Amino acid sequence: MNAVTNQPTAPVLVRAADAESLQDGATSLITLLADAGATGGALTANKATFQKGSPGAPAHFHTKATEMFFVLDGAMRILVDEEIVTLGKGDFLTVPPTVPHAFAPAPGSEAEMLVVFTPGLHRFDYYRLLERVYRGEATVQDIRDSSQQYDNHYFDSPVWAKALAQR
């Protein structure tokens, strides 16, 4: 690491065949690309893959990082504050710290999305926790208890609940 810039001293290369993939729900998959430790804190990146009807991520916000979304394929419906936007293949969105958001594939669509946090947050263990909850090896309370550690703050959003009901 370069102590002055806190940036990695070498590029980070993750081969598709070597990337860890996690089943965080019956209809979604997270592929881990680069965590904060590998990037000198510059960013954290994953690829999220959603089947039709996936509930995606519930309404939440982060206090320390901007979250970026780039749709690789399909269409995504995203809550940004109190507005629902639909992103198609090639669309890009940034959500600054403290802005409420949620995401799921658009009705009738499968989707694949690159998700990047900057600065990087150590989130890979959070994604592994999601998989353990899906497998019944951890509880939703474990997710709630980790909100400060992983900077994931969930809340109820009537706007998002209404959007999800319109499948």
Side-chain angles (χ1 to χ4, degrees):
M1 295 290 163
N2 180 331
V4 175
T5 63
N6 197 33
Q7 297 295 308
T9 57
V12 176
L13 171 63
V14 179
R15 299 278 184 198
D18 298 329
E20 180 181 355
S21 290
L22 304 169
Q23 189 80 40
D24 68 318
T27 56
S28 59
L29 186 72
I30 298 172
T31 302
L32 308 180
L33 299 174
D35 209 2
T39 66
L43 61 89
T44 298
N46 72 79
K47 181 178 71 168
T49 305
F50 304 95
Q51 295 176 13
K52 290 179 186 176
S54 173
H60 65 284
F61 63 91
H62 311 287
T63 61
K64 300 173 185 163
T66 294
E67 189 169 7
M68 295 174 271
F69 304 97
F70 181 74
V71 178
L72 300 166
D73 200 15
M76 290 295 295
R77 185 167 44 177
I78 301 181
L79 169 73
V80 181
D81 204 6
E82 291 290 313
E83 180 183 356
I84 305 290
V85 296
T86 300
L87 303 181
K89 183 177 179 177
D91 289 345
F92 176 77
L93 171 69
T94 65
V95 178
T98 72
V99 174
H101 58 284
F103 50 87
S109 182
E110 294 181 344
E112 192 170 63
M113 185 168 65
L114 176 66
V115 180
V116 178
F117 291 87
T118 186
L121 302 171
H122 294 278
R123 296 188 56 83
F124 282 12
D125 284 341
Y126 168 74
Y127 300 133
R128 293 178 184 116
L129 173 60
L130 294 179
E131 182 177 59
R132 287 195 311 277
V133 169
Y134 171 65
R135 290 181 175 182
E137 299 165 359
T139 68
V140 171
Q141 186 60 48
D142 293 325
I143 294 172
R144 288 187 190 108
D145 293 344
S146 73
S147 66
Q148 292 299 321
Q149 178 181 359
Y150 298 118
D151 193 28
N152 245 11
H153 308 278
Y154 294 101
F155 66 96
D156 290 325
S157 167
V159 172
W160 188 241
K162 181 179 177 183
L164 287 179
Q166 298 170 345
R167 291 198 175 266

